[in-house]
Amino acid sequence: MKSWSGSAGICINEHKEILMVKSFGSERWAVPSGGIEEGESPEECCIREIKEETGYDVKVIKKLKVKETTIKNIKVKTYYFRVEKIGDSSGINDPDQIIVEADWKSLSDIKTINHVYPEDLELLLEQYKHLEQSVAFE
C-alpha cells in the first residue's frame, strides 16, 4: 500500500479567527496543509506550506496530533501543529496552483462553513477552548 505524509497548521490570530484556505473549484475550506518533501521535517513542511498557501510566515508552537487514515488505498499520515503568524501576508504563492483563497474564519464561521475534512472540526473547536482557557489566566 502506498503511503503519504503531510503537515497541517492551525493558526489563530489576535481576533480569535482561524486561517483557512479554499481550492479552485471548491466551496469547502481546510486549514493550510501539504505533503512533506524529501529531507523535510513535519514542522518544516508545515511552515513552508502555510507560507505558500497563505503568504504568512509562521512559527510552530506545538504539535497537536497525528491523524492516520486511508484514502483511496493510500495510507495517509498528517501531522497537525498549532502555529503563530509572524507579520503580514505576502500573498498566496502556491506552486501547486490549487489555492484560490486564504481567509480568517471566526468561531461562528468555523461551525457553519463546509469543511474539506469534517473530522477536523472537533480539533479546531478544541483550539478555541484552549484559547479561552489561556486568556483567562493571563
Side-chain angles (χ1 to χ4, degrees), residues 4-9 31-34 36 42 63 65-69 71 75-81 117 120:
W4 180 93
S5 292
S7 293
V31 292
S33 64
I36 298 173
K63 189 169 168 178
K65 75 169 205 175
V66 178
K67 180 169 84 177
E68 297 198 54
T69 178
I71 302 172
K75 260 174 81 88
V76 175
K77 187 175 188 176
T78 310
Y79 296 85
Y80 282 77
F81 296 97
Y117 307 106
D120 286 358

Side-chain angles (χ1 to χ4, degrees), residues 8-66:
I10 297 177
C11 184
I12 302 180
N13 68 11
E14 60 278 14
H15 307 296
K16 296 186 184 168
E17 297 163 324
I18 293 184
L19 187 58
M20 304 285 283
V21 294
K22 193 169 76 168
S23 309
F24 282 102
S26 169
E27 284 310 310
R28 298 189 300 171
W29 294 84
V31 292
S33 64
I36 298 173
E37 292 178 355
E38 191 70 42
E40 206 175 36
S41 71
E43 288 83 354
E44 288 165 341
C45 170
C46 177
I47 291 167
R48 177 182 54 77
E49 286 290 346
I50 292 178
K51 177 71 173 173
E52 289 175 359
E53 295 186 356
T54 71
Y56 284 101
D57 286 304
V58 297
K59 61 178 181 195
V60 171
I61 306 297
K62 66 175 184 185
K63 189 169 168 178
L64 297 172
K65 75 169 205 175
V66 178

